[in-house]
């Protein structure tokens, strides 16, 4: 063991620093073995930092976490908030029915596994908030136990993160208590929701990366590789649990870039070969391995969900035909000329329709129309939805030459009125920039060209056959190149409130996709029965095609969640707890679950972030003027450890300011955990002018630095103890809103509304007494 007086060797002026000296002067660290005499520390401080005391503290914190998260976990015995989604997804895994969701499948697979393990048969539908689990004999407690366990285990991980970054037992307990006694984390961990899994794997990612960084003087050994791979594994689990987990990936990515930039510094004496070895190692451990793990979640997802389900319609026809029992697989048929069919719009599901009524001579805006026969979108079965496929080329009497193919030019004959579908350069009724669709008598050939349409199959290739159900297509007008299109706005009374059909001037418009819904009859007017309802083997589709298609849809639909919601809130509100979310209510008993955090802990974290930024800013200004107000090792700890926590907080928080989708306060929970870690670092800086130093594992060539300890004295335990008691008191005070029991009268509800912006149910109206 090195002597504590052997701190640095004298350097020759002008000589280049040996490898490691520059690092030693500008980083914190070097040894994980305590060799300094501890007599200067208080006995209480020394006792708390023994392994036995630390284990006892974390044991108590973990036990409390399990108690608080499992307390009355069977209440309410009804579907709560987004359990309508994630409970339902678990049932789909058990039934093996395909579904679609914007989040990756890992956490939902775990819920499905938990449900299967506790005997759930998957037949409860989770349709509405308030549906009874008890009446349907659903083993919901076992499913809720999974997030409760993960949420409880997050507490010792938070504690371990603080210990690994050099903080004392008291400071580690302080950060853990902020999460332990937080109402929002407790409420989110007691229900079938994704956030507990996301936060659990995010915290494991942080812990693993810190352990990896502490081994930087033992690079490329087995333990170094183990923690690097562990970081990538847990990072993939966070990403695979919820789409927000991509922010954890971004956090580690930024930290790694900073790390590599540091290794590239020539003053540390590293060669470029050494740099590229580190780059390759991180690429393997933090890109290749995590991506393979992330892919594996989807591989299992597709392997389990092999039957047709409610998510079929989101997917392409080719994808749907890989599912057992899918309608496209069982009923899809090749289309031949002279078949009579109905056609449905892919997005709005209305049928292409026409009737003898004509467009009015003059529209509401004063424009004059052609008074042509109306062509509309109609949502119900009707014989006016029937269209016959007419060829524009000579056909053989029989055989496959009568099959319709991609890029064929066709006409569509409206059966009831014996008129051909037509569009021309005339403004449509509701969309003046688009073309009017109407029909023309089939025996009048004066406008033959205006009745011609290209049949373009979506993602079709030359020679592809047009099929009912499974072939999405665009009908593109030959002369004007517009696509037949519709939208949800309804026509006036003269159009019977049906949807407008018009010509979109973008021939490749994605929303101009249609499909043949039903084949009414074949060309000989017999009931259509070619291979109908004949069982078929599911088709094959490569995993990577499925994965790419689903990823694109997930991104599109996540970005499209822009509808208003009464409990949506902006990121600016979250750190201050200005609003929460009503999860569940029961009118008869006036019980409710309202997701809101522990205001003591959340505001403490906001104050800590402000103090930290102030400390760093003041230190930068002082150093600019030649002053050194903070010792090197303390400054390095503030920049490297607390700075990393600030990075985690910022990356998990600031991107939400750029998002246009629905946002809720639970999106802030990962950032709140990071702010709790930062709050512990700030408290340690305030109550002690020293840090536990060094903390990294010394390498074979590392020269030791003098060890020191952060002695918090008696004020540290007192501050943390008082804080924990206040947080627990606030937790208990808000408990009726967190646990959904007991019910409160109007005045009781008003007393729990600590901020006027909290929208609680069953509140009593405040009236003024008139003297």
């Amino acid at each position: 063991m090195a002597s504590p007086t052997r701190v640095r060797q004298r350097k020759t002026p002008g000589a280049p620093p040996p490898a490691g000296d520059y690092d030693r002067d500008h980083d914190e660290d070097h040894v994980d073995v305590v060799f300094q005499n501890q007599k200067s520390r208080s006995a209480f401080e020394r006792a708390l930092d023994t392994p036995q005391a630390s284990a006892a503290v974390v044991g108590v914190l973990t036990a409390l976490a399990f108690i608080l998260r499992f307390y009355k976990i069977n209440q309410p015995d009804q579907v709560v908030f987004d359990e309508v989604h994630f409970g339902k997804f678990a049932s789909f895994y058990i039934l093996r029915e395909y579904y679609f969701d914007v989040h990756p499948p890992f956490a939902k697979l775990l819920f499905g596994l938990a449900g299967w393990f506790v005997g759930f048969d998957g037949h409860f539908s989770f349709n509405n908030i308030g549906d009874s689990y008890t009446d349907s004999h659903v083993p919901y407690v076992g499913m809720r136990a999974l997030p409760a366990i993960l949420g409880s285990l997050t507490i010792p991980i938070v504690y371990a993160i603080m210990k690994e970054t050099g903080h004392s037992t008291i400071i580690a307990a302080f950060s853990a208590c902020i999460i332990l006694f937080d109402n929002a984390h407790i409420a989110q961990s007691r229900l079938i929701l994704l956030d507990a899994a996301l936060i659990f794997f995010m915290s494991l990612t942080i812990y693993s990366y810190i352990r990896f960084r502490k081994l930087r003087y033992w690079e490329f050994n087995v333990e170094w590789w183990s923690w690097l791979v562990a970081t990538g594994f847990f990072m993939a689990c966070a990403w695979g649990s919820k789409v927000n987990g991509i922010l954890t990936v971004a956090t580690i990515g930024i930290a790694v870039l900073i790390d590599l930039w540091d290794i590239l510094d020539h003053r540390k004496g590293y060669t470029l070969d050494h740099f590229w070895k580190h780059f390759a190692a991180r690429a393997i451990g933090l890109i290749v391995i995590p991506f393979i793990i992330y892919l594996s979640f989807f591989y299992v997802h597709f392997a389990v969900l092999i039957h047709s389900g409610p998510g079929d319609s989101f997917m392409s026809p080719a994808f749907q035909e890989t599912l057992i029992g899918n309608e496209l697989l069982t009923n899809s048929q090749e289309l031949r000329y002279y078949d009579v069919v109905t056609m449905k719009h892919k997005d709005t599901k209305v049928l292409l329709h026409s009737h003898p009524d004509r467009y009015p001579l003059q529209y509401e805006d004063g424009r004059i129309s052609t008074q042509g026969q109306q062509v509309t979108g109609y949502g119900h079965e009707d014989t006016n939805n029937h269209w016959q496929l007419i060829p524009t080329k000579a056909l053989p009497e029989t055989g496959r030459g009568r099959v319709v193919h991609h890029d064929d030019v066709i006409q569509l004959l409206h059966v009831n009125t014996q008129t051909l579908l037509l569009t021309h350069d005339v403004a449509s009724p509701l969309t003046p920039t688009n073309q009017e669709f109407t029909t023309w008598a089939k025996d009048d050939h004066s406008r033959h060209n205006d009745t011609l349409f290209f049949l373009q199959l979506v993602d079709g290739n030359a020679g592809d056959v047009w099929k009912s159900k499974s072939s999405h297509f665009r009908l593109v007008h030959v002369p004007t190149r517009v696509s037949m299109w519709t939208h949800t706005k309804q026509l006036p009374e003269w159009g019977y409130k049906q949807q407008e059909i018009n010509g979109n001037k973008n021939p490749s418009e994605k929303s101009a996709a249609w499909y043949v819904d039903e084949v009414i009859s074949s060309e000989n007017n017999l009931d259509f029965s070619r291979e109908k309802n004949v069982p078929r083997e599911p088709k094959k589709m490569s995993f990577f095609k499925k994965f790419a298609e689903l990823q694109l849809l997930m991104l599109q639909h996540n970005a499209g969640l822009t509808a208003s919601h009464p409990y949506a809130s902006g990121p600016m509100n979250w750190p201050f707890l200005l609003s929460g979310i009503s999860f569940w209510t029961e009118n008869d008993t006036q019980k409710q679950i309202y997701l809101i955090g522990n205001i003591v802990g959340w505001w403490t974290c906001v104050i800590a972030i402000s103090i930290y930024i102030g400390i760093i800013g003041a230190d930068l200004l002082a150093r600019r003027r030649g002053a050194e107000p903070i010792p090197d090792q303390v400054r390095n700890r503030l920049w490297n450890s607390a700075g990393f926590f600030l990075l985690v907080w910022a990356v998990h928080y600031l991107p939400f300011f750029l998002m246009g989708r629905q946002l809720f306060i639970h999106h802030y929970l990962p950032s709140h955990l990071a702010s709790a870690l930062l709050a512990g670092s700030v408290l340690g800086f305030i109550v002690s002018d020293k840090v536990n130093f060094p903390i990294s594992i010394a390498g074979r060539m590392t020269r030791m630095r003098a060890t020191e300890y952060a002695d918090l004295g008696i004020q540290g335990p007192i501050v943390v103890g008082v804080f924990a008691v206040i947080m627990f008191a606030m937790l208990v005070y808000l408990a009726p809103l967190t646990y959904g029991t007991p019910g409160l009268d109007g005045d009781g509800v008003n007393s729990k509304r600590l901020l006027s912006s909290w929208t609680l149910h069953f509140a009593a109206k405040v009236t003024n007494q008139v003297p």
Side-chain angles (χ1 to χ4, degrees):
M1 184 175 293
S3 167
T5 59
R6 187 181 173 189
V7 180
R8 298 181 188 170
Q9 291 185 349
R10 188 183 303 275
K11 298 178 182 178
T12 304
D21 278 11
Y22 181 82
D23 183 54
R24 185 170 61 252
D25 292 343
H26 291 77
D27 264 340
E28 62 173 272
D29 15 65
H30 298 334
V31 63
D32 198 31
V33 180
V34 174
F35 58 87
Q36 180 186 353
N37 190 334
Q38 299 189 46
K39 290 183 179 179
S40 59
R41 304 178 75 204
S42 68
F44 185 68
E45 186 80 14
R46 292 200 304 271
L48 277 177
D49 274 348
T50 61
Q52 296 81 3
S54 181
V57 169
V58 74
V60 170
L61 294 174
T62 305
L64 284 173
F66 274 91
I67 291 170
L68 292 174
R69 282 149 181 80
F70 276 89
Y71 174 70
K72 291 190 175 181
I73 197 171
N74 62 321
Q75 296 294 325
D77 64 341
Q78 299 173 10
V79 178
V80 177
F81 193 55
D82 276 351
E83 286 186 334
V84 296
H85 300 301
F86 304 120
K88 185 179 296 182
F89 298 152
S91 72
F92 289 145
Y93 281 121
I94 294 170
L95 298 174
R96 307 194 72 177
E97 295 177 353
Y98 189 79
Y99 73 89
F100 172 78
D101 183 43
V102 298
H103 296 293
F106 179 52
K108 293 171 291 184
L109 280 166
L110 294 178
F111 280 127
L113 182 62
W116 172 82
F117 185 77
V118 297
F120 178 43
D121 62 9
H123 291 291
F124 182 73
S125 58
F126 296 87
N127 281 335
N128 304 294
I129 295 175
D131 286 352
S132 174
Y133 290 128
T134 303
D135 293 347
S136 301
H137 308 289
V138 179
Y140 66 100
V141 173
M143 298 176 71
R144 286 179 177 175
L146 172 64
I149 291 170
L150 298 180
S152 301
L153 293 178
T154 301
I155 306 307
I157 297 171
V158 170
Y159 178 90
I161 289 171
M162 296 305 291
K163 290 292 286 185
E164 290 296 331
T165 48
H167 294 92
S168 65
T169 298
I170 286 295
I171 295 301
F174 172 78
S175 290
C177 283
I178 293 178
I179 307 301
L180 170 65
F181 296 126
D182 185 70
N183 298 72
H185 283 274
I186 291 173
Q188 204 75 11
S189 299
R190 292 164 41 82
L191 302 170
I192 307 171
L193 304 174
L194 303 182
D195 295 85
L198 168 65
I199 293 168
F200 173 74
F201 290 115
M202 166 198 160
S203 60
L204 276 176
T205 303
I206 296 170
Y207 175 77
S208 300
Y209 185 71
I210 290 169
R211 292 296 301 268
F212 163 72
R213 285 288 293 140
K214 288 181 67 173
L215 287 161
R216 60 189 176 277
Y217 301 116
W218 287 91
E219 55 197 17
F220 306 114
N221 75 352
V222 173
E223 190 176 0
W224 185 89
W225 274 107
S226 298
W227 285 113
L228 175 63
V229 172
T231 302
F233 175 80
F234 292 127
M235 183 173 69
C237 291
W239 185 16
S241 295
K242 197 172 182 181
V243 69
N244 302 7
I246 192 67
L247 299 176
T248 301
V249 177
T251 301
I252 299 301
I254 294 171
V256 166
L257 289 176
I258 295 171
D259 181 26
L260 289 174
W261 181 255
D262 190 52
I263 294 173
L264 194 60
D265 190 345
H266 74 94
R267 291 172 293 180
K268 295 190 175 183
Y270 298 131
T271 65
L272 276 177
D273 285 344
H274 184 79
F275 168 81
W276 287 116
K277 286 181 182 179
H278 275 276
F279 181 90
R282 284 158 176 78
I284 293 170
L286 301 177
I287 297 176
V288 176
I289 292 177
F291 188 65
I292 291 173
I293 294 167
Y294 184 70
L295 286 175
S296 71
F297 299 147
F298 286 89
Y299 186 86
V300 175
H301 176 77
F302 295 138
V304 173
L305 303 179
I306 60 174
H307 291 275
S308 177
D312 293 18
S313 61
F314 291 93
M315 313 308 295
S316 70
F319 190 110
Q320 293 183 51
E321 289 184 302
T322 66
L323 301 171
I324 299 172
N326 182 266
E327 184 183 21
L328 273 61
L329 180 67
T330 58
N331 295 332
S332 176
Q333 304 292 336
E334 290 183 347
L335 297 171
R336 293 172 170 83
Y337 285 108
Y338 298 108
D339 286 347
V340 176
V341 302
T342 61
M343 288 170 282
K344 187 173 282 189
H345 186 239
K346 178 178 177 290
D347 293 341
T348 63
K349 301 300 188 256
V350 295
L351 293 149
L352 181 63
H353 177 93
S354 185
H355 44 240
D357 301 70
R358 296 184 171 270
Y359 295 113
L361 175 62
Q362 187 174 14
Y363 297 129
E364 287 78 356
D365 59 3
R367 289 183 295 114
I368 303 298
S369 83
T370 62
Q371 289 190 286
Q373 181 172 309
Q374 294 178 18
V375 175
T376 62
Y378 189 49
H380 306 281
E381 296 295 333
D382 189 284
T383 57
N384 279 324
N385 303 333
H386 296 174
W387 301 82
Q388 189 173 37
L389 311 180
I390 306 299
T392 59
K393 61 183 178 181
L395 297 177
E397 291 296 326
T398 59
R400 296 193 57 77
R402 302 181 73 82
V403 174
V404 189
H405 293 84
H406 171 68
D407 259 352
D408 278 4
V409 177
I410 67 171
Q411 293 176 302
L412 289 176
L413 176 69
H414 187 246
V415 175
N416 281 1
T417 61
Q418 290 294 291
T419 56
L420 293 167
L421 186 69
L422 174 146
T423 186
H424 47 189
D425 194 12
V426 175
S428 63
L430 302 181
T431 316
T433 57
N434 289 8
Q435 288 187 186
E436 173 191 86
F437 262 71
T438 182
T439 64
W440 194 256
K442 72 170 185 176
D443 297 326
D444 185 347
H445 301 290
S446 62
R447 302 196 64 183
H448 172 77
N449 287 346
D450 287 335
T451 64
L452 302 180
F453 292 89
F454 286 112
L455 174 77
Q456 294 188 343
L457 302 182
V458 176
D459 298 324
N461 298 303
D464 287 354
V465 174
W466 189 18
K467 295 182 179 181
S468 64
K469 302 290 187 180
S470 62
S471 294
H472 293 162
F473 69 91
R474 284 186 291 266
L475 204 62
V476 179
H477 192 228
V478 172
T480 62
R481 306 295 296 178
V482 300
S483 292
M484 185 173 71
W485 182 73
T486 187
H487 54 92
T488 55
K489 189 174 181 181
Q490 295 178 335
L491 293 166
E493 291 294 342
W494 55 258
Y496 305 103
K497 299 290 185 180
Q498 296 171 14
Q499 282 184 203
E500 177 191 41
I501 302 291
N502 62 44
N504 192 304
K505 294 184 178 179
N506 178 9
S508 58
E509 171 60 43
K510 289 184 178 180
S511 61
W514 300 73
Y515 63 93
V516 170
D517 184 51
E518 186 177 358
V519 180
I520 306 302
S521 66
S522 62
E523 57 186 296
N524 57 8
N525 291 322
L526 297 176
D527 288 340
F528 186 70
S529 59
R530 293 194 302 262
E531 302 176 0
K532 192 171 183 178
N533 296 323
V534 176
R536 299 179 181 178
E537 286 294 321
K539 296 185 178 180
K540 302 295 183 182
M541 185 177 184
S542 77
F543 165 74
F544 290 103
K545 284 185 178 180
K546 287 184 176 180
F547 174 78
E549 180 178 332
L550 182 55
Q551 289 294 302
L552 181 60
L553 284 170
M554 287 165 56
L555 291 172
Q556 290 174 343
H557 283 267
N558 189 56
L561 296 175
T562 57
S564 61
H565 191 283
Y567 293 100
S569 57
M572 188 62 72
N573 299 334
W574 300 340
F576 306 99
L577 283 180
L578 297 185
S579 61
I581 307 172
S582 176
F583 270 14
W584 169 83
T585 60
E586 188 174 70
N587 293 331
D588 294 341
T589 58
Q590 294 200 164
K591 294 179 179 179
Q592 64 181 304
I593 296 178
Y594 188 76
L595 181 73
I596 201 71
N598 189 314
I599 199 168
V600 175
W602 286 55
W603 285 11
T604 296
C605 290
V606 172
I607 294 170
I609 293 171
S610 303
I611 291 174
Y612 176 78
I613 294 173
I615 291 169
I616 294 299
D619 183 57
L620 287 172
L621 288 173
R623 293 173 67 193
R624 194 69 173 172
R625 298 302 303 163
E628 295 283 344
I630 301 176
D632 284 346
Q633 55 267 38
V634 177
R635 178 184 296 111
N636 289 334
R637 185 66 50 77
L638 284 172
W639 277 100
N640 295 338
S641 296
F644 177 61
F645 299 150
L646 183 70
L647 173 68
V648 178
W649 173 83
V651 173
H652 283 82
Y653 176 50
L654 298 181
F656 287 104
F657 285 92
L658 305 177
M659 296 182 187
R661 57 151 292 170
Q662 284 178 357
L663 297 173
F664 301 92
I665 192 172
H666 61 72
H667 288 121
Y668 185 72
L669 292 179
S671 286
H672 177 253
L673 183 139
S675 67
L677 299 172
L678 182 59
S681 297
V682 171
L683 178 63
F685 176 82
I686 292 173
V687 298
S688 176
D689 58 354
K690 294 183 179 180
V691 293
N692 291 336
F693 175 85
I695 60 168
S696 290
I697 312 297
R700 296 185 185 91
M701 304 300 295
T702 305
R703 287 180 291 173
M704 304 301 182
R705 301 187 67 178
T707 302
E708 68 175 35
Y709 297 92
D711 193 351
L712 307 184
I714 194 62
Q715 70 269 23
I718 290 175
V719 169
V720 174
V722 171
F723 177 82
V725 169
I726 295 173
M727 273 209 73
F728 181 73
M730 182 58 69
L731 165 65
V732 172
Y733 186 71
L734 295 176
L737 306 179
T738 301
Y739 293 96
T741 186
L744 301 171
D745 60 19
D747 292 331
V749 172
N750 284 341
S751 69
K752 306 301 181 188
R753 182 187 284 147
L754 301 182
L755 298 178
S756 60
S757 54
W758 294 5
T759 52
L760 303 181
H761 292 272
F762 314 122
K765 293 183 179 179
V766 179
T767 58
N768 294 323
Q769 295 283 343
V770 179

